[in-house]
Amino acid sequence: MFKRHYSDPDVPTVTIRFEGEAIEARATDTVAAALLIAGVTATRTTPVTGQPRAPYCMMGVCFDCLMVIDGEGDRQACLVPVAEGMTVSRQNRTIEVVR
Ligand code: FES
């Protein structure tokens, strides 16, 4: 779905782990960009309905890219640069709505 239009051959690659799967990324990628290029679209689910969400704005505004990065939740994947050995997983939280 997404592909890189330009790749500087001088930029080194790093390996991150998304839910246990190794993903190669460029050292200049954000987590969201690396995952989109790798074919991962859902980065979190909504707390109330459990619907999947994907990165949308890619600039820190929409919060649809919230993920668990290196064990810490509520990280905006579009703002976090990848790093060698980083672990990433979808953020799947639920809340009970009382009406
Ligand atoms: S994609 Fe919108 S805040 Fe990250």
Side-chain angles (χ1 to χ4, degrees):
M1 183 178 206
F2 292 93
K3 65 180 181 180
R4 203 178 294 278
H5 286 280
Y6 171 75
S7 187
D8 185 343
D10 295 333
V11 175
T13 60
V14 298
T15 302
I16 64 172
R17 292 220 163 255
F18 171 67
E19 299 186 346
E21 177 187 347
I23 290 179
E24 294 281 320
R26 305 306 301 251
T28 52
D29 288 344
T30 63
V31 173
L35 293 177
L36 288 171
I37 291 167
V40 175
T41 53
T43 51
R44 72 176 181 100
T45 55
T46 60
V48 176
T49 65
Q51 293 296 306
R53 290 290 182 264
Y56 182 67
C57 72
M58 298 297 281
M59 60 182 189
V61 176
C62 73
F63 288 78
D64 271 339
C65 64
L66 293 179
M67 301 191 82
V68 179
I69 298 176
D70 286 336
E72 184 179 348
D74 291 330
R75 303 287 309 275
Q76 288 174 278
C78 70
L79 300 181
V80 178
V82 294
E84 182 64 39
M86 175 181 273
T87 61
V88 181
S89 61
R90 287 187 182 95
Q91 182 161 302
N92 301 312
R93 290 188 180 152
T94 58
I95 59 170
E96 185 176 335
V97 177
V98 179
R99 295 184 182 167

